[in-house]
Amino acid sequence: MASIYTAALMEHNAHPDYKYEMDEPTCTHDGVNPSCGDELTLALRLRGDVIEEAAFTGHGCAVSQAAADMMADLVTGETVDEARRLTGLYLDMIKGRQLTDEERADLDEAAELATISRMPARVKCAELAWRTLEKLLEKETAAGRKAR
């Protein structure tokens, strides 16, 4: 079985580019994995329908922290709809669905976490940031509909 501790995972865990306290985010959401204690706060700066900046703070295992950094890197500069599409692809992959080559390319380094689907104890770690993003975007969409 392939190791989940790929070079990309180890690099994102050791040297996360997106783990910092963002100045003046437009929205935030907290995520918690109670089974192992991973916690994070995801912050986004939205400009219209584009994620201009994504960052996170918190603590947890190497898988949760690296997955959060990969996710923030992938969605920065993307539209909210594209971030939702990527989140769906990633979560499907973590549940064990085989992705097409094109879908794997769309997920970039995050696709390297596919082997986690065979390790049920680590799935929630790999999903935490992505589920937090999913909830944050749902909350922002609902808030946007109310404001209209």
Side-chain angles (χ1 to χ4, degrees):
M1 180 183 297
S3 172
I4 62 172
Y5 296 100
T6 65
L9 183 141
M10 298 308 290
E11 179 62 25
H12 280 275
N13 180 57
H15 306 287
D17 292 327
Y18 296 88
K19 187 174 185 176
Y20 58 87
E21 191 83 34
M22 182 188 299
D23 293 332
E24 301 180 30
T26 55
C27 50
T28 62
H29 194 74
D30 296 328
V32 177
N33 178 359
S35 62
C36 69
D38 296 338
E39 295 181 0
L40 65 82
T41 298
L42 177 62
L44 299 180
R45 181 172 303 115
L46 299 173
R47 184 174 304 267
D49 197 34
V50 174
I51 299 171
E52 188 175 74
E53 185 177 358
F56 71 99
T57 57
H59 63 273
C61 68
V63 171
S64 73
Q65 298 298 287
D69 199 56
M70 290 176 183
M71 183 266 315
D73 183 32
L74 197 60
V75 302
T76 296
E78 298 293 347
T79 65
V80 168
D81 285 345
E82 179 62 2
R84 281 192 182 104
R85 186 185 76 81
L86 293 169
T87 298
L89 280 179
Y90 178 85
L91 293 173
D92 282 353
M93 176 190 74
I94 293 297
K95 291 175 190 165
R97 180 169 79 79
Q98 291 295 316
L99 300 182
T100 66
D101 289 343
E102 184 178 313
E103 289 170 331
R104 286 183 63 79
D106 288 349
L107 288 178
D108 197 28
E109 288 179 316
E112 292 185 27
L113 302 182
T115 57
I116 290 172
S117 68
R118 296 189 297 265
M119 301 171 182
R122 305 313 301 268
V123 166
K124 286 185 180 179
C125 304
E127 291 180 338
L128 178 61
W130 294 84
R131 294 244 179 244
T132 304
L133 174 63
E134 186 176 54
K135 296 271 193 261
L136 188 153
L137 294 176
E138 286 172 10
K139 183 174 74 172
E140 285 305 301
T141 299
R145 281 194 295 262
K146 289 178 190 169
R148 290 185 184 127

